Structures are given as structure tokens and as C-alpha cells.
mmCIF file of all heavy atoms in Angstrom:
data_model
loop_
_atom_site.group_PDB
_atom_site.id
_atom_site.type_symbol
_atom_site.label_atom_id
_atom_site.label_comp_id
_atom_site.label_asym_id
_atom_site.label_seq_id
_atom_site.Cartn_x
_atom_site.Cartn_y
_atom_site.Cartn_z
ATOM 1 N N ASP D 1 -78.997 -161.571 45.311
ATOM 2 C CA ASP D 1 -80.423 -161.433 45.235
ATOM 3 C C ASP D 1 -80.760 -160.419 44.130
ATOM 4 O O ASP D 1 -80.527 -159.231 44.314
ATOM 5 C CB ASP D 1 -81.000 -160.908 46.560
ATOM 6 C CG ASP D 1 -81.019 -161.922 47.672
ATOM 7 O OD1 ASP D 1 -80.273 -162.934 47.553
ATOM 8 O OD2 ASP D 1 -81.747 -161.732 48.672
ATOM 9 N N MET D 2 -81.259 -160.919 43.006
ATOM 10 C CA MET D 2 -81.579 -160.029 41.878
ATOM 11 C C MET D 2 -83.058 -159.790 41.795
ATOM 12 O O MET D 2 -83.858 -160.649 42.146
ATOM 13 C CB MET D 2 -81.100 -160.679 40.561
ATOM 14 C CG MET D 2 -81.874 -161.928 40.142
ATOM 15 S SD MET D 2 -81.624 -162.435 38.410
ATOM 16 C CE MET D 2 -82.699 -161.265 37.536
ATOM 17 N N VAL D 3 -83.436 -158.626 41.320
ATOM 18 C CA VAL D 3 -84.853 -158.316 41.027
ATOM 19 C C VAL D 3 -85.113 -158.608 39.550
ATOM 20 O O VAL D 3 -84.393 -158.105 38.679
ATOM 21 C CB VAL D 3 -85.193 -156.825 41.323
ATOM 22 C CG1 VAL D 3 -86.695 -156.607 41.183
ATOM 23 C CG2 VAL D 3 -84.701 -156.441 42.699
ATOM 24 N N LEU D 4 -86.089 -159.468 39.297
ATOM 25 C CA LEU D 4 -86.408 -159.732 37.882
ATOM 26 C C LEU D 4 -87.108 -158.541 37.267
ATOM 27 O O LEU D 4 -87.518 -157.629 37.979
ATOM 28 C CB LEU D 4 -87.204 -161.035 37.749
ATOM 29 C CG LEU D 4 -88.571 -161.225 38.447
ATOM 30 C CD1 LEU D 4 -89.671 -160.281 37.904
ATOM 31 C CD2 LEU D 4 -88.999 -162.666 38.328
ATOM 32 N N ASN D 5 -87.264 -158.583 35.948
ATOM 33 C CA ASN D 5 -87.895 -157.488 35.259
ATOM 34 C C ASN D 5 -89.422 -157.580 35.454
ATOM 35 O O ASN D 5 -90.075 -158.403 34.790
ATOM 36 C CB ASN D 5 -87.535 -157.513 33.772
ATOM 37 C CG ASN D 5 -87.956 -156.244 33.055
ATOM 38 O OD1 ASN D 5 -89.169 -155.884 33.088
ATOM 39 N ND2 ASN D 5 -87.060 -155.584 32.386
ATOM 40 N N ILE D 6 -89.945 -156.762 36.341
ATOM 41 C CA ILE D 6 -91.353 -156.862 36.706
ATOM 42 C C ILE D 6 -92.266 -156.474 35.567
ATOM 43 O O ILE D 6 -93.330 -157.072 35.364
ATOM 44 C CB ILE D 6 -91.616 -155.964 37.921
ATOM 45 C CG1 ILE D 6 -90.770 -156.441 39.100
ATOM 46 C CG2 ILE D 6 -93.099 -156.007 38.333
ATOM 47 C CD1 ILE D 6 -90.596 -155.399 40.223
ATOM 48 N N SER D 7 -91.824 -155.521 34.743
ATOM 49 C CA SER D 7 -92.631 -155.132 33.580
ATOM 50 C C SER D 7 -92.812 -156.306 32.624
ATOM 51 O O SER D 7 -93.905 -156.527 32.082
ATOM 52 C CB SER D 7 -91.971 -153.968 32.839
ATOM 53 O OG SER D 7 -91.954 -152.798 33.634
ATOM 54 N N MET D 8 -91.741 -157.087 32.408
ATOM 55 C CA MET D 8 -91.846 -158.231 31.516
ATOM 56 C C MET D 8 -92.707 -159.320 32.137
ATOM 57 O O MET D 8 -93.401 -160.065 31.412
ATOM 58 C CB MET D 8 -90.431 -158.763 31.191
ATOM 59 C CG MET D 8 -89.615 -157.831 30.317
ATOM 60 S SD MET D 8 -90.370 -157.463 28.700
ATOM 61 C CE MET D 8 -90.993 -155.799 28.980
ATOM 62 N N ALA D 9 -92.668 -159.425 33.459
ATOM 63 C CA ALA D 9 -93.573 -160.375 34.128
ATOM 64 C C ALA D 9 -95.045 -159.965 33.931
ATOM 65 O O ALA D 9 -95.914 -160.815 33.654
ATOM 66 C CB ALA D 9 -93.251 -160.462 35.622
ATOM 67 N N LYS D 10 -95.313 -158.672 34.008
ATOM 68 C CA LYS D 10 -96.665 -158.187 33.788
ATOM 69 C C LYS D 10 -97.105 -158.368 32.341
ATOM 70 O O LYS D 10 -98.291 -158.471 32.039
ATOM 71 C CB LYS D 10 -96.808 -156.729 34.193
ATOM 72 C CG LYS D 10 -96.505 -156.403 35.645
ATOM 73 C CD LYS D 10 -97.394 -157.191 36.615
ATOM 74 C CE LYS D 10 -98.860 -156.808 36.496
ATOM 75 N NZ LYS D 10 -99.710 -157.584 37.474
ATOM 76 N N GLU D 11 -96.129 -158.351 31.404
ATOM 77 C CA GLU D 11 -96.416 -158.588 29.999
ATOM 78 C C GLU D 11 -96.531 -160.075 29.691
ATOM 79 O O GLU D 11 -96.795 -160.494 28.545
ATOM 80 C CB GLU D 11 -95.282 -157.992 29.114
ATOM 81 C CG GLU D 11 -95.226 -156.488 29.136
ATOM 82 C CD GLU D 11 -96.433 -155.855 28.447
ATOM 83 O OE1 GLU D 11 -97.000 -156.482 27.533
ATOM 84 O OE2 GLU D 11 -96.780 -154.713 28.830
ATOM 85 N N HIS D 12 -96.296 -160.934 30.698
ATOM 86 C CA HIS D 12 -96.287 -162.375 30.570
ATOM 87 C C HIS D 12 -95.232 -162.894 29.610
ATOM 88 O O HIS D 12 -95.430 -163.929 28.975
ATOM 89 C CB HIS D 12 -97.689 -162.864 30.160
ATOM 90 C CG HIS D 12 -98.773 -162.538 31.151
ATOM 91 N ND1 HIS D 12 -100.112 -162.813 30.953
ATOM 92 C CD2 HIS D 12 -98.689 -161.918 32.387
ATOM 93 C CE1 HIS D 12 -100.793 -162.363 32.010
ATOM 94 N NE2 HIS D 12 -99.957 -161.848 32.881
ATOM 95 N N ASP D 13 -94.143 -162.177 29.530
ATOM 96 C CA ASP D 13 -93.028 -162.604 28.685
ATOM 97 C C ASP D 13 -92.076 -163.454 29.551
ATOM 98 O O ASP D 13 -90.999 -163.002 29.955
ATOM 99 C CB ASP D 13 -92.296 -161.396 28.089
ATOM 100 C CG ASP D 13 -91.301 -161.779 27.004
ATOM 101 O OD1 ASP D 13 -91.017 -162.979 26.882
ATOM 102 O OD2 ASP D 13 -90.870 -160.864 26.268
ATOM 103 N N TYR D 14 -92.462 -164.671 29.832
ATOM 104 C CA TYR D 14 -91.696 -165.518 30.698
ATOM 105 C C TYR D 14 -90.437 -166.066 30.068
ATOM 106 O O TYR D 14 -89.494 -166.461 30.735
ATOM 107 C CB TYR D 14 -92.573 -166.649 31.222
ATOM 108 C CG TYR D 14 -93.811 -166.102 31.929
ATOM 109 C CD1 TYR D 14 -95.090 -166.360 31.427
ATOM 110 C CD2 TYR D 14 -93.712 -165.324 33.073
ATOM 111 C CE1 TYR D 14 -96.232 -165.820 32.042
ATOM 112 C CE2 TYR D 14 -94.824 -164.787 33.702
ATOM 113 C CZ TYR D 14 -96.081 -165.066 33.166
ATOM 114 O OH TYR D 14 -97.211 -164.526 33.784
ATOM 115 N N ASP D 15 -90.403 -166.032 28.719
ATOM 116 C CA ASP D 15 -89.151 -166.372 28.023
ATOM 117 C C ASP D 15 -88.085 -165.347 28.364
ATOM 118 O O ASP D 15 -86.929 -165.667 28.574
ATOM 119 C CB ASP D 15 -89.372 -166.479 26.515
ATOM 120 C CG ASP D 15 -90.122 -167.721 26.113
ATOM 121 O OD1 ASP D 15 -90.122 -168.680 26.868
ATOM 122 O OD2 ASP D 15 -90.709 -167.692 25.000
ATOM 123 N N PHE D 16 -88.463 -164.067 28.368
ATOM 124 C CA PHE D 16 -87.533 -162.982 28.751
ATOM 125 C C PHE D 16 -87.052 -163.203 30.177
ATOM 126 O O PHE D 16 -85.848 -163.097 30.453
ATOM 127 C CB PHE D 16 -88.234 -161.644 28.633
ATOM 128 C CG PHE D 16 -87.335 -160.455 28.997
ATOM 129 C CD1 PHE D 16 -86.720 -159.719 28.016
ATOM 130 C CD2 PHE D 16 -87.118 -160.114 30.362
ATOM 131 C CE1 PHE D 16 -85.861 -158.658 28.371
ATOM 132 C CE2 PHE D 16 -86.312 -159.056 30.709
ATOM 133 C CZ PHE D 16 -85.670 -158.320 29.700
ATOM 134 N N ILE D 17 -87.978 -163.489 31.088
ATOM 135 C CA ILE D 17 -87.586 -163.722 32.506
ATOM 136 C C ILE D 17 -86.625 -164.864 32.607
ATOM 137 O O ILE D 17 -85.564 -164.758 33.276
ATOM 138 C CB ILE D 17 -88.861 -164.056 33.332
ATOM 139 C CG1 ILE D 17 -89.850 -162.863 33.312
ATOM 140 C CG2 ILE D 17 -88.459 -164.401 34.790
ATOM 141 C CD1 ILE D 17 -89.346 -161.598 33.923
ATOM 142 N N GLU D 18 -86.900 -165.952 31.916
ATOM 143 C CA GLU D 18 -85.994 -167.110 31.974
ATOM 144 C C GLU D 18 -84.601 -166.762 31.455
ATOM 145 O O GLU D 18 -83.577 -167.124 32.066
ATOM 146 C CB GLU D 18 -86.607 -168.256 31.180
ATOM 147 C CG GLU D 18 -85.766 -169.533 31.216
ATOM 148 C CD GLU D 18 -86.360 -170.701 30.455
ATOM 149 O OE1 GLU D 18 -87.588 -170.612 30.120
ATOM 150 O OE2 GLU D 18 -85.656 -171.687 30.202
ATOM 151 N N LYS D 19 -84.560 -166.093 30.326
ATOM 152 C CA LYS D 19 -83.267 -165.751 29.719
ATOM 153 C C LYS D 19 -82.502 -164.774 30.601
ATOM 154 O O LYS D 19 -81.288 -164.892 30.762
ATOM 155 C CB LYS D 19 -83.501 -165.123 28.320
ATOM 156 C CG LYS D 19 -83.983 -166.138 27.282
ATOM 157 C CD LYS D 19 -84.308 -165.463 25.963
ATOM 158 C CE LYS D 19 -84.866 -166.474 24.949
ATOM 159 N NZ LYS D 19 -85.308 -165.772 23.699
ATOM 160 N N GLU D 20 -83.184 -163.807 31.190
ATOM 161 C CA GLU D 20 -82.562 -162.822 32.064
ATOM 162 C C GLU D 20 -81.945 -163.521 33.297
ATOM 163 O O GLU D 20 -80.793 -163.267 33.647
ATOM 164 C CB GLU D 20 -83.536 -161.783 32.505
ATOM 165 C CG GLU D 20 -82.962 -160.763 33.487
ATOM 166 C CD GLU D 20 -83.995 -159.776 34.035
ATOM 167 O OE1 GLU D 20 -84.967 -160.213 34.690
ATOM 168 O OE2 GLU D 20 -83.830 -158.580 33.757
ATOM 169 N N VAL D 21 -82.716 -164.381 33.913
ATOM 170 C CA VAL D 21 -82.235 -165.071 35.117
ATOM 171 C C VAL D 21 -81.057 -165.983 34.776
ATOM 172 O O VAL D 21 -80.057 -166.021 35.485
ATOM 173 C CB VAL D 21 -83.392 -165.861 35.790
ATOM 174 C CG1 VAL D 21 -82.844 -166.721 36.929
ATOM 175 C CG2 VAL D 21 -84.470 -164.929 36.280
ATOM 176 N N ARG D 22 -81.133 -166.662 33.639
ATOM 177 C CA ARG D 22 -80.033 -167.541 33.214
ATOM 178 C C ARG D 22 -78.758 -166.694 33.004
ATOM 179 O O ARG D 22 -77.660 -167.128 33.350
ATOM 180 C CB ARG D 22 -80.414 -168.294 31.963
ATOM 181 C CG ARG D 22 -79.323 -169.267 31.520
ATOM 182 C CD ARG D 22 -79.761 -170.137 30.340
ATOM 183 N NE ARG D 22 -80.761 -171.117 30.738
ATOM 184 C CZ ARG D 22 -82.031 -171.111 30.335
ATOM 185 N NH1 ARG D 22 -82.457 -170.166 29.542
ATOM 186 N NH2 ARG D 22 -82.885 -172.043 30.739
ATOM 187 N N LEU D 23 -78.907 -165.523 32.392
ATOM 188 C CA LEU D 23 -77.775 -164.621 32.171
ATOM 189 C C LEU D 23 -77.116 -164.201 33.481
ATOM 190 O O LEU D 23 -75.887 -164.209 33.621
ATOM 191 C CB LEU D 23 -78.237 -163.436 31.356
ATOM 192 C CG LEU D 23 -77.155 -162.580 30.670
ATOM 193 C CD1 LEU D 23 -76.397 -163.394 29.610
ATOM 194 C CD2 LEU D 23 -77.758 -161.324 30.025
ATOM 195 N N VAL D 24 -77.940 -163.782 34.431
ATOM 196 C CA VAL D 24 -77.423 -163.342 35.719
ATOM 197 C C VAL D 24 -76.756 -164.532 36.463
ATOM 198 O O VAL D 24 -75.736 -164.358 37.121
ATOM 199 C CB VAL D 24 -78.505 -162.674 36.561
ATOM 200 C CG1 VAL D 24 -77.950 -162.318 37.926
ATOM 201 C CG2 VAL D 24 -79.044 -161.441 35.872
ATOM 202 N N LYS D 25 -77.360 -165.707 36.337
ATOM 203 C CA LYS D 25 -76.768 -166.888 36.975
ATOM 204 C C LYS D 25 -75.348 -167.116 36.430
ATOM 205 O O LYS D 25 -74.460 -167.498 37.195
ATOM 206 C CB LYS D 25 -77.643 -168.112 36.722
ATOM 207 C CG LYS D 25 -77.125 -169.409 37.359
ATOM 208 C CD LYS D 25 -77.029 -169.322 38.860
ATOM 209 C CE LYS D 25 -76.603 -170.657 39.454
ATOM 210 N NZ LYS D 25 -76.422 -170.604 40.940
ATOM 211 N N GLU D 26 -75.160 -166.899 35.133
ATOM 212 C CA GLU D 26 -73.816 -166.982 34.569
ATOM 213 C C GLU D 26 -72.865 -166.010 35.220
ATOM 214 O O GLU D 26 -71.713 -166.317 35.524
ATOM 215 C CB GLU D 26 -73.870 -166.762 33.068
ATOM 216 C CG GLU D 26 -74.571 -167.846 32.259
ATOM 217 C CD GLU D 26 -74.726 -167.443 30.798
ATOM 218 O OE1 GLU D 26 -74.167 -166.397 30.391
ATOM 219 O OE2 GLU D 26 -75.398 -168.176 30.056
ATOM 220 N N GLY D 27 -73.372 -164.802 35.449
ATOM 221 C CA GLY D 27 -72.566 -163.773 36.088
ATOM 222 C C GLY D 27 -72.214 -164.055 37.535
ATOM 223 O O GLY D 27 -71.231 -163.508 38.077
ATOM 224 N N CYS D 28 -72.978 -164.962 38.154
ATOM 225 C CA CYS D 28 -72.738 -165.298 39.572
ATOM 226 C C CYS D 28 -71.552 -166.211 39.757
ATOM 227 O O CYS D 28 -71.091 -166.396 40.913
ATOM 228 C CB CYS D 28 -73.981 -165.967 40.163
ATOM 229 S SG CYS D 28 -75.365 -164.837 40.371
ATOM 230 N N GLY D 29 -71.073 -166.817 38.685
ATOM 231 C CA GLY D 29 -69.888 -167.667 38.788
ATOM 232 C C GLY D 29 -70.029 -168.777 39.765
ATOM 233 O O GLY D 29 -69.093 -169.100 40.508
ATOM 234 N N GLY D 30 -71.196 -169.400 39.832
ATOM 235 C CA GLY D 30 -71.401 -170.535 40.719
ATOM 236 C C GLY D 30 -71.943 -170.148 42.108
ATOM 237 O O GLY D 30 -72.280 -171.044 42.880
ATOM 238 N N LYS D 31 -71.993 -168.857 42.379
ATOM 239 C CA LYS D 31 -72.583 -168.429 43.663
ATOM 240 C C LYS D 31 -74.110 -168.541 43.670
ATOM 241 O O LYS D 31 -74.737 -168.598 42.592
ATOM 242 C CB LYS D 31 -72.194 -167.009 43.992
ATOM 243 C CG LYS D 31 -70.669 -166.731 44.010
ATOM 244 C CD LYS D 31 -69.969 -167.584 45.053
ATOM 245 C CE LYS D 31 -68.463 -167.244 45.069
ATOM 246 N NZ LYS D 31 -67.732 -168.109 46.037
ATOM 247 N N LEU D 32 -74.663 -168.607 44.857
ATOM 248 C CA LEU D 32 -76.108 -168.831 44.990
ATOM 249 C C LEU D 32 -76.889 -167.620 44.472
ATOM 250 O O LEU D 32 -76.552 -166.482 44.813
ATOM 251 C CB LEU D 32 -76.406 -169.113 46.434
ATOM 252 C CG LEU D 32 -77.796 -169.608 46.816
ATOM 253 C CD1 LEU D 32 -77.721 -170.664 47.884
ATOM 254 C CD2 LEU D 32 -78.665 -168.436 47.288
ATOM 255 N N LEU D 33 -77.942 -167.874 43.691
ATOM 256 C CA LEU D 33 -78.773 -166.814 43.145
ATOM 257 C C LEU D 33 -80.201 -166.921 43.604
ATOM 258 O O LEU D 33 -80.885 -167.950 43.433
ATOM 259 C CB LEU D 33 -78.727 -166.868 41.588
ATOM 260 C CG LEU D 33 -79.670 -165.876 40.861
ATOM 261 C CD1 LEU D 33 -79.259 -164.447 41.161
ATOM 262 C CD2 LEU D 33 -79.674 -166.151 39.362
ATOM 263 N N LYS D 34 -80.672 -165.830 44.209
ATOM 264 C CA LYS D 34 -82.071 -165.702 44.573
ATOM 265 C C LYS D 34 -82.740 -164.683 43.712
ATOM 266 O O LYS D 34 -82.148 -163.626 43.422
ATOM 267 C CB LYS D 34 -82.211 -165.265 46.044
ATOM 268 C CG LYS D 34 -81.348 -166.067 47.039
ATOM 269 C CD LYS D 34 -81.645 -165.640 48.479
ATOM 270 C CE LYS D 34 -80.509 -165.971 49.393
ATOM 271 N NZ LYS D 34 -79.612 -164.803 49.645
ATOM 272 N N VAL D 35 -83.943 -164.927 43.248
ATOM 273 C CA VAL D 35 -84.640 -164.040 42.322
ATOM 274 C C VAL D 35 -85.859 -163.424 43.018
ATOM 275 O O VAL D 35 -86.770 -164.120 43.466
ATOM 276 C CB VAL D 35 -85.079 -164.764 41.028
ATOM 277 C CG1 VAL D 35 -85.715 -163.795 40.079
ATOM 278 C CG2 VAL D 35 -83.910 -165.489 40.377
ATOM 279 N N ILE D 36 -85.847 -162.094 43.105
ATOM 280 C CA ILE D 36 -86.933 -161.372 43.750
ATOM 281 C C ILE D 36 -88.057 -161.110 42.741
ATOM 282 O O ILE D 36 -87.851 -160.508 41.704
ATOM 283 C CB ILE D 36 -86.452 -160.010 44.317
ATOM 284 C CG1 ILE D 36 -85.245 -160.226 45.259
ATOM 285 C CG2 ILE D 36 -87.568 -159.294 45.018
ATOM 286 C CD1 ILE D 36 -84.558 -158.931 45.671
ATOM 287 N N LEU D 37 -89.245 -161.565 43.114
ATOM 288 C CA LEU D 37 -90.406 -161.437 42.205
ATOM 289 C C LEU D 37 -91.183 -160.132 42.416
ATOM 290 O O LEU D 37 -91.820 -159.658 41.500
ATOM 291 C CB LEU D 37 -91.378 -162.603 42.404
ATOM 292 C CG LEU D 37 -91.109 -163.890 41.616
ATOM 293 C CD1 LEU D 37 -89.734 -164.472 41.899
ATOM 294 C CD2 LEU D 37 -92.197 -164.917 41.929
ATOM 295 N N GLU D 38 -91.121 -159.557 43.598
ATOM 296 C CA GLU D 38 -91.978 -158.463 44.012
ATOM 297 C C GLU D 38 -93.433 -158.871 43.896
ATOM 298 O O GLU D 38 -94.254 -158.350 43.093
ATOM 299 C CB GLU D 38 -91.704 -157.187 43.236
ATOM 300 C CG GLU D 38 -92.110 -155.877 43.917
ATOM 301 C CD GLU D 38 -91.273 -155.569 45.144
ATOM 302 O OE1 GLU D 38 -91.453 -156.217 46.219
ATOM 303 O OE2 GLU D 38 -90.413 -154.687 45.075
ATOM 304 N N THR D 39 -93.845 -159.815 44.701
ATOM 305 C CA THR D 39 -95.108 -160.509 44.582
ATOM 306 C C THR D 39 -96.328 -159.565 44.771
ATOM 307 O O THR D 39 -97.378 -159.837 44.219
ATOM 308 C CB THR D 39 -95.234 -161.619 45.628
ATOM 309 O OG1 THR D 39 -94.829 -161.150 46.937
ATOM 310 C CG2 THR D 39 -94.323 -162.793 45.256
ATOM 311 N N CYS D 40 -96.169 -158.472 45.497
ATOM 312 C CA CYS D 40 -97.258 -157.552 45.702
ATOM 313 C C CYS D 40 -97.714 -156.895 44.384
ATOM 314 O O CYS D 40 -98.837 -156.364 44.299
ATOM 315 C CB CYS D 40 -96.913 -156.500 46.725
ATOM 316 S SG CYS D 40 -95.577 -155.372 46.219
ATOM 317 N N LEU D 41 -96.891 -156.950 43.378
ATOM 318 C CA LEU D 41 -97.217 -156.320 42.075
ATOM 319 C C LEU D 41 -97.720 -157.338 41.046
ATOM 320 O O LEU D 41 -98.081 -156.985 39.951
ATOM 321 C CB LEU D 41 -96.008 -155.604 41.501
ATOM 322 C CG LEU D 41 -95.421 -154.479 42.363
ATOM 323 C CD1 LEU D 41 -94.187 -153.841 41.683
ATOM 324 C CD2 LEU D 41 -96.462 -153.434 42.695
#
């Protein structure tokens, strides 16, 4: 369960979010990945 970069989400840099999540997914080695948005923010 990873926390995405909330600052970049607030900046609306969704390309950054996508690249970051893809990078962490690579690090998971096939294991299941959940991405925490922190929706209250």
C-alpha cells in the first residue's frame, strides 16, 4: 500500500502520479499494489 505524492496531485501533475505508480509497481515484483490517495485532501 503506497501513498502517492499528494503535492503533485494538488498540482494536477497526473503524469508524475502515473510515472511514480508505475515505478513502484515495478518494485513490487508482481505483488499486488494499492495506491493511497488521501481523499480528504
Side-chain angles (χ1 to χ4, degrees):
D1 287 18
M2 68 165 282
V3 187
L4 58 68
N5 190 304
I6 300 161
S7 294
M8 292 300 103
K10 298 303 295 182
E11 292 291 333
H12 299 175
D13 192 346
Y14 304 115
D15 286 339
F16 180 98
I17 299 297
E18 181 179 346
K19 290 174 183 175
E20 176 185 62
V21 173
R22 184 175 288 113
L23 195 64
V24 176
K25 181 62 176 176
E26 292 173 5
C28 290
K31 303 299 183 184
L32 190 141
L33 175 63
K34 312 185 202 98
V35 184
I36 304 170
L37 274 58
E38 202 69 284
T39 48
C40 65
L41 301 179

